[in-house]
Amino acid sequence: MDKKIVLLGPPGSGKGTQTERLCAELKLTKISTGDLLREAVRNNTPLGVKAKGYMDAGRLVPNELVVDLVKEKIKCVEGGVILDGFPRSLEQAELLDRFAKVDLAVDIEVNEDNLVRRLTLRRTCRSCNAVYHLEFNPPKVESICDKCGGELFQRSDDTERTVRERLKVYKEQTLPLTKYYSKKGILRKVDGEGDIGTVYQRVLKAIKG
Ligand code: AP5
């Protein structure tokens, strides 16, 4: 598949989880701004140093730190792409349109109480970014990644307080993107409630049309 797909949805709606599966099955390349920024923070790069405060506070990292990152990555990709976590605002969507043509935007919808529960019990692999949930998708061995044996940790922005702030930022800045892509006729909404496999089938159907 060689589509450029934007995955929308609030924090915790399952964008990262579904992206992993879609990339494996449809041979798409993942571009996750959250993963790229966390890697920069981990490696203490100039970008990471500048981004960390915004991320820990649950706010968006400024465009000048994010947009070129995506532009560079997308230039190097042959074939289809899933953009997980980008764009996050109308301004980012308009900038994206200048260097790539989005074929489809899939919006995963989940109610707020479930989002908070999903995020505060999430664990992420330090080595490969695989995502788990202590209740809904636990690792086979506590604190160890099933896929690579890496150590699982809790993201610093997964505390309830920061999660609430991220949800606020999402409603103010990212939610308007559903109208933006709907007007272009490329928005597909997916019910994100239910187990991971059920949601995956819905996302797949939305993408394959
Ligand atoms: P980012 O990493 O993009 O975070 P997010 O959008 O807040 O999304 P999450 O990764 O928290 O959730 P997700 O939807 O991927 O859910 P997941 O699959 O993990 O961004 C982090 C920060 O980076 C931002 O706050 C910002 O500061 C900065 N940033 C990133 N992009 C930026 C941009 N473009 N511009 C500016 N700043 C940017 O699932 C969540 C949990 O639920 C997991 O535990 C999972 O196992 C579980 N789960 C998933 N699906 C289900 C299901 N169906 N049922 C039960 N549990 C489920």
Side-chain angles (χ1 to χ4, degrees):
M1 177 172 285
D2 63 359
K3 285 181 181 165
K4 291 194 175 56
I5 301 166
V6 164
L7 216 49
L8 296 171
S13 54
K15 302 182 295 296
T17 303
Q18 299 299 336
T19 295
E20 290 299 330
R21 294 187 171 208
L22 291 166
C23 287
E25 183 167 341
L26 303 177
K27 308 285 174 251
L28 296 160
T29 300
K30 166 178 89 164
I31 299 180
S32 159
T33 42
D35 284 355
L36 292 169
L37 290 167
R38 275 185 292 280
E39 192 186 331
V41 171
R42 216 169 25 242
N43 295 331
N44 221 13
T45 67
L47 167 66
V49 171
K50 287 184 198 151
K52 188 176 185 325
Y54 295 97
M55 296 173 79
D56 284 346
R59 293 200 301 271
L60 294 187
V61 171
N63 285 348
E64 59 269 26
L65 300 180
V66 174
V67 177
D68 285 347
L69 202 63
V70 176
K71 200 171 172 180
E72 285 309 306
K73 288 277 168 194
I74 223 166
K75 261 196 330 208
C76 306
V77 175
E78 279 177 30
V81 173
I82 297 200
L83 288 163
D84 164 13
F86 187 90
R88 278 290 235 278
S89 63
L90 284 172
E91 206 183 342
Q92 286 186 6
E94 285 162 3
L95 290 167
L96 173 64
D97 285 344
R98 291 192 202 161
F99 58 83
K101 182 185 166 293
V102 175
D103 297 294
L104 199 64
V106 177
D107 181 34
I108 307 179
E109 299 179 304
V110 176
N111 90 54
E112 189 158 329
D113 287 344
N114 285 343
L115 294 172
V116 174
R117 189 144 176 240
R118 285 188 189 181
L119 289 174
T120 50
L121 292 177
R122 168 167 61 184
R123 295 295 180 267
T124 305
C125 176
R126 252 185 230 291
S127 307
C128 73
N129 295 318
V131 169
Y132 298 86
H133 189 277
L134 294 183
E135 204 179 318
F136 305 131
N137 181 27
K140 290 189 185 106
V141 179
E142 201 185 321
S143 303
I144 303 288
C145 177
D146 293 353
K147 291 177 189 150
C148 76
E151 181 201 0
L152 302 185
F153 76 109
Q154 182 171 30
R155 271 171 48 175
S156 56
D157 60 349
D158 277 349
T159 59
E160 180 158 356
R161 186 156 172 237
T162 311
V163 165
R164 297 272 178 207
E165 178 62 23
R166 286 160 62 199
L167 290 170
K168 189 167 153 257
V169 168
Y170 166 78
K171 281 182 209 152
E172 287 168 3
Q173 303 198 49
T174 311
L175 193 57
L177 288 182
T178 53
K179 251 193 199 147
Y180 181 82
Y181 287 116
S182 174
K183 273 192 192 153
K184 287 177 180 280
I186 57 170
L187 180 75
R188 309 237 169 103
K189 283 181 180 285
V190 167
D191 175 2
E193 309 278 355
D195 63 55
I196 292 171
T198 304
V199 176
Y200 180 66
Q201 290 309 320
R202 292 182 195 135
V203 173
L204 206 54
K205 199 169 159 207
I207 288 176
K208 289 185 168 172

